[in-house]
Amino acid sequence: MSYVIGVDLGTSGTKTVLFDEIGNVIASHTVEYPLYQEKNGWAEQDPLDWYNATITTIKAVLEKSNIDSKDIKGIGLSGQMHGLVMLDKDYNVLRKSIIWCDQRTGKECEELTEIVGAEKVIEITANPILTGFTASKIRWVMKNEPKIFEKCRYILLPKDYVRLMLTGELATEVSDASGMQLLDVPNRRWSSVMLDALNITEDMLGKVYESPDVTGEVTQKVADITGLKKGTIVVGGAGDNAAAAVGTGVVEDGKAFTTIGTSGVVFAHTSNVTIDTMGRVHTFCCAVPNCWHVMGVTQGAGLSLKWFRDNFCTSEKETAKLMGVDEYYLMDKEAEKISVGADRLLYLPYLMGERTPHLDPNARGMFFGLSAIHGKSHMLRAVLEGVAYSLRDCVEVFREMNINVNNMMACGGGGTSPLWRQMLADLYACPVKTVSSKEGPALGVGILALTGSGIYSSVQEACKTIIRVDKVQSPIEENVPQYEKYYQLYREIYPAIKEQCQKLANL
């Protein structure tokens, strides 16, 4: 039996999982590390924490499993995207990494957009310049920490710094590089236009590979520390969402997944590069060679339900403790009592502004249609439906781009709710499924390592063997037209109050 290791470098910690060649988990270990927030809106982490966590977790899974290291055929790396790692000529870290959720670079986004041109930026990078992405972070350091910028010889993403430490190779891959806004996404190579705008050169960045490609081998030093065999291959891997797509089998046209975490993501595979010129959804290279994905984001998905729980569901919390069940299970049961449309009550989940399709930080949440007949159960149902409507908004943008979805996976905390999955199935008018494995990104890069090591001939072949469907929620025929009426009304509400949201923000 052959084995691979999937390393998932997240924001709260690094999880490393050892898989066999058909995707079974042999051993798993997680190490957490801190987030540094020196100022409001800032978010940084120490790259050495990521490396140390990777070493510790690899060593731990080897010790737990007693697998002979010669049977480990490869390592895949998944990582939080967009983080800026700056190194000097000797590969020393120059400053803490400014990570994906840092919001300090609003002014730099405006400046880069003006330098390159808004339309040109989207044409090259397939996305508008955003604070979360890497390019604006580089410009911020250039302006605010010029001495550090002068010493900077190499720029890497979080997982690619770990790759450097494991293999000695400066490399990245197309899915993660797509989130830097330095990559020509349609052509899958660094963009001279974007590099010139930042006054950096291509030799400061890693070589760009496809995700299953071999990018390097484990060094003797790392082998001695971890117990790995020297020369074990490390494949390109993927950014976290692209890795999750592989880990749920979303590797062919027509397939997509919906994640309901704090935010909500709808992610669809496409064989053709397709860009939304309005910048409402992200287009990135995906982990399948020569393919892409589009991704819509709704900011307040699971956050809306958590907000409702924390403010209005004290009794459910107390009852859940007594019963020994999850409070969300009881909330589901309460919402199930109410019919489709929550008796003409609609909820807009814009607690944190919105990303897709409105691109408006000033958008705000609301209940629309509240009357004396409505109680807590109606409001709870409306919250669940409002999030589902917002996720349908993402799918509608895909359809405008001629990307049609007929096979939807569900993951994330919200994906465990049968009621929420049913709402999605009814609104998408297609089955919504879950997979038996819960390892997501780690499994995804494990599959990439299995492909890169030659155990499978392609990512698609590996997924057909490894990914197993667990539950299937099919649309309820009579619900589909009912939800369609409510959804079309939902779509009219935000445009009608957009101006008032702006006025509210200015008060």
Side-chain angles (χ1 to χ4, degrees):
M1 179 70 78
S2 297
Y3 303 88
V4 289
I5 287 173
V7 179
D8 182 18
L9 192 162
T11 309
S12 59
T14 288
K15 182 178 187 180
T16 293
V17 186
L18 177 67
F19 299 98
D20 68 17
E21 63 190 48
I22 55 172
N24 295 314
V25 174
I26 306 302
S28 174
H29 194 75
T30 300
V31 168
E32 296 183 349
Y33 31 70
L35 173 69
Y36 299 95
Q37 295 183 283
E38 185 182 326
K39 296 182 181 179
N40 186 24
W42 289 27
E44 299 182 349
Q45 288 186 315
D46 188 338
L48 285 171
D49 287 343
W50 303 330
Y51 170 65
N52 290 330
T54 302
I55 292 295
T56 301
T57 53
I58 290 174
K59 188 175 180 181
V61 297
L62 291 176
E63 289 173 350
K64 288 178 182 179
S65 65
N66 291 317
I67 298 292
D68 190 325
S69 62
K70 70 178 174 55
D71 293 325
I72 296 173
K73 302 304 180 186
I75 299 170
L77 303 173
S78 167
Q80 52 167 297
M81 296 179 68
H82 315 304
L84 172 64
V85 181
M86 305 186 88
L87 308 176
D88 68 13
K89 60 183 177 61
D90 299 314
Y91 300 155
N92 297 309
V93 176
L94 289 169
R95 68 173 328 281
K96 287 187 177 72
S97 172
I98 305 173
I99 67 168
W100 63 275
C101 52
D102 189 284
Q103 294 297 313
R104 76 184 72 177
T105 63
K107 188 175 181 183
E108 287 70 29
C109 289
E110 293 175 7
E111 292 167 352
L112 280 172
T113 302
E114 189 172 335
I115 291 168
V116 181
E119 289 184 9
K120 190 70 172 176
V121 165
I122 292 178
E123 178 187 321
I124 295 170
T125 75
N127 299 280
I129 299 281
L130 298 171
T131 54
F133 288 18
T134 317
S136 62
K137 296 176 172 65
I138 297 170
R139 185 169 177 85
W140 185 91
V141 175
M142 180 179 71
K143 289 169 54 185
N144 293 277
E145 298 173 345
K147 290 183 179 178
I148 288 176
F149 189 77
E150 284 174 18
K151 293 178 184 175
C152 180
R153 180 66 186 85
Y154 302 108
I155 291 169
L156 294 175
L157 291 160
K159 80 173 192 323
D160 298 328
Y161 171 73
V162 171
R163 181 196 321 279
L164 172 66
M165 299 294 281
L166 293 178
T167 68
E169 299 292 336
L170 288 157
T172 188
E173 48 71 42
V174 290
S175 74
D176 212 358
S178 295
M180 296 182 80
Q181 298 206 291
L182 305 178
L183 194 76
D184 177 343
V185 169
N187 295 299
R188 306 170 89 87
R189 64 189 180 209
W190 297 122
S191 163
S192 59
V193 172
M194 298 306 297
L195 299 185
D196 290 347
L198 286 159
N199 197 28
I200 60 175
T201 54
E202 191 170 322
D203 62 3
M204 297 174 73
L205 307 170
K207 182 180 176 182
V208 183
Y209 289 85
E210 292 292 338
S211 297
D213 288 350
V214 176
T215 60
E217 299 178 348
V218 168
T219 64
Q220 186 65 60
K221 177 184 175 183
V222 170
D224 292 341
I225 298 170
T226 60
L228 287 167
K229 185 175 180 292
K230 178 182 180 292
T232 303
I233 66 164
V234 178
V235 299
D240 48 12
N241 278 302
V246 177
T248 50
V250 178
V251 295
E252 297 172 297
D253 288 352
K255 292 189 175 183
F257 72 77
T258 297
T259 300
I260 303 177
T262 302
S263 62
V265 170
V266 186
F267 177 116
H269 179 94
T270 175
S271 298
N272 301 307
V273 60
T274 311
I275 298 171
D276 176 40
T277 56
M278 296 167 65
R280 295 168 297 175
V281 297
H282 302 306
T283 297
F284 291 160
C285 302
C286 77
V288 178
N290 301 310
C291 293
W292 290 261
H293 67 254
V294 292
M295 187 173 74
V297 180
T298 184
Q299 304 277 65
L303 175 69
S304 286
L305 190 59
K306 182 180 184 296
W307 165 80
F308 193 86
R309 181 201 67 179
D310 292 347
N311 287 284
F312 305 109
C313 293
T314 303
S315 61
E316 285 79 4
K317 287 183 178 181
E318 292 170 352
T319 304
K321 282 181 184 176
L322 293 172
M323 293 176 63
V325 298
D326 191 299
E327 56 233 41
Y328 287 117
Y329 169 79
L330 293 184
M331 291 162 66
D332 259 19
K333 291 300 177 187
E334 224 173 296
E336 277 179 356
K337 299 173 188 175
I338 308 301
S339 60
V340 169
D343 282 332
R344 297 179 179 146
L345 180 62
L346 294 167
Y347 169 74
L348 274 62
Y350 306 148
L351 301 184
M352 300 294 289
E354 192 49 299
R355 177 77 189 88
T356 303
H358 302 307
L359 269 177
D360 185 1
N362 294 320
R364 287 295 175 265
M366 68 177 291
F367 286 97
F368 176 77
L370 197 61
S371 75
I373 67 163
H374 294 126
K376 183 166 70 174
S377 298
H378 292 90
M379 297 176 77
L380 181 51
R381 174 98 191 190
V383 168
L384 293 170
E385 290 181 339
V387 171
Y389 296 143
S390 72
L391 294 166
R392 166 70 183 275
D393 271 346
C394 298
V395 173
E396 285 303 306
V397 177
F398 295 172
R399 288 170 178 166
E400 287 179 32
M401 298 165 70
N402 293 317
I403 297 168
N404 293 305
V405 173
N406 52 36
N407 191 325
M408 182 69 73
M409 309 302 296
C411 42
T416 63
S417 162
L419 177 60
W420 227 342
R421 292 200 307 272
Q422 188 62 60
M423 291 175 180
L424 294 175
D426 295 341
L427 275 157
Y428 296 159
C430 76
V432 173
K433 309 171 185 178
T434 60
V435 293
S436 53
S437 174
K438 306 304 177 191
E439 297 302 338
L443 177 59
V445 293
I447 288 170
L448 294 174
L450 287 165
T451 306
S453 62
I455 293 170
Y456 293 97
S457 63
S458 68
V459 177
Q460 291 93 334
E461 184 202 5
C463 286
K464 282 174 184 172
T465 302
I466 292 169
I467 304 302
R468 293 176 285 277
V469 172
D470 183 21
K471 299 179 180 70
V472 180
Q473 221 91 21
S474 295
I476 296 172
E477 191 174 342
E478 60 267 28
N479 287 358
V480 174
Q482 287 189 68
Y483 268 126
E484 194 64 25
K485 288 186 285 188
Y486 281 104
Y487 172 64
Q488 294 304 331
L489 177 57
Y490 168 89
R491 294 186 77 182
E492 295 176 20
I493 299 171
Y494 165 78
I497 62 166
K498 179 179 180 180
E499 188 178 332
Q500 284 70 33
C501 286
Q502 183 64 54
K503 288 179 179 177
L504 183 65
N506 293 333
L507 286 179

